Amino acid sequence: MSSKNIIIAPSILSADFSNLGQEVHDIDEAGADWIHVDVMDGHFVPNLTFGPSVISSIRNKTKKCFDTHLMISNPDEYIEQYKNAGSDIITVHKEVCGHLDKTLSSIKNVGCKAGISINPGTDISGIEYVLDKIDLILVMSVNPGFGGQKFINSSIQKIKKIKELVKNFNIDKVILPTLHLLRRLNYQ
């Protein structure tokens, strides 16, 4: 992969929430391509983060793409709210979508790009049937719900398999392993 294909999308999961607007501004000024927003519901994953109102409150701090990663049990109920809050991409977990095709179509219908996320222990089977609706595939290289985890090496093989699958379908997709960056880009 050449450097022109690499997208830098720092997660705001480790941001100073008391100064979130400035943190987003700093990520923007540092040259990141996107802002990655990890949404957790306390059900699909054990932790809670933030919802549409927080995203809406920081949307005016940058014109960068908001890549909203929904780690929630019932994403279909919230797609429109996250779109209205300012999300540009909405990524849902394969594990929670009983009707993945329908969920991805709903995301596209509100005008967002659609992504799927796959946990480290989840097989990639079935995604070939929805590749025509996917703009992004997020391969989790840590278990969802917690920052600061050790990289799971087996995710590299999963990325290779997905890359081959996507290549076989002649579709150019983004494949991202998740690595949460330090709280601010200027930290050592």
Side-chain angles (χ1 to χ4, degrees):
M1 177 179 263
S2 71
S3 61
K4 69 179 181 177
N5 294 327
I6 295 174
I7 294 171
I8 305 297
S11 171
I12 60 171
L13 181 62
S14 299
D16 174 357
F17 287 173
S18 69
N19 197 22
L20 190 55
Q22 185 62 46
E23 297 271 295
V24 169
H25 174 77
D26 290 349
I27 291 170
D28 191 351
E29 290 294 310
D33 300 298
W34 296 353
I35 307 296
H36 185 81
V37 182
D38 287 305
V39 174
M40 302 178 196
D41 66 357
H43 299 275
F44 177 62
V45 296
N47 282 327
L48 292 168
T49 53
F50 34 75
S53 61
V54 172
I55 294 171
S56 182
S57 74
I58 59 173
R59 182 67 262 195
N60 67 347
K61 303 299 180 190
T62 181
K63 293 185 190 293
K64 302 281 184 184
C65 173
F66 271 27
D67 169 29
T68 303
H69 175 200
L70 300 181
M71 289 177 268
I72 65 177
S73 296
N74 48 356
D76 293 284
E77 295 177 30
Y78 297 98
I79 290 169
E80 195 162 333
Q81 289 179 42
Y82 282 100
K83 161 59 175 160
N84 292 340
S87 298
D88 300 294
I89 302 169
I90 298 177
T91 300
V92 297
H93 273 263
K94 176 182 186 271
E95 299 84 3
V96 298
C97 294
H99 302 284
L100 186 56
D101 182 74
K102 178 180 174 264
T103 301
L104 295 170
S105 292
S106 295
I107 294 168
K108 298 290 227 175
N109 288 339
V110 299
C112 288
K113 291 189 176 185
I116 64 165
S117 185
I118 303 171
N119 284 344
T122 300
D123 189 7
I124 66 168
S125 66
I127 67 168
E128 64 272 17
Y129 302 111
V130 293
L131 282 176
D132 62 323
K133 291 186 173 69
I134 300 172
D135 297 295
L136 179 141
I137 300 171
L138 177 62
V139 176
M140 298 292 292
S141 59
V142 298
N143 289 304
F146 300 96
Q149 298 177 61
K150 185 178 176 194
F151 182 83
I152 298 173
N153 289 324
S154 62
S155 58
I156 294 170
Q157 285 304 319
K158 189 177 289 186
I159 292 168
K160 288 179 181 177
K161 286 179 183 179
I162 292 172
K163 185 175 180 183
E164 191 62 32
L165 176 68
V166 167
K167 182 177 135 191
N168 289 340
F169 276 79
N170 278 334
I171 300 171
D172 185 28
K173 299 291 177 192
V174 178
I175 302 171
L176 301 171
T178 59
L179 293 176
H180 293 112
L181 300 182
L182 293 175
R183 186 168 76 80
R184 304 239 336 215
L185 294 176
N186 58 350
Y187 280 24
Q188 287 81 330

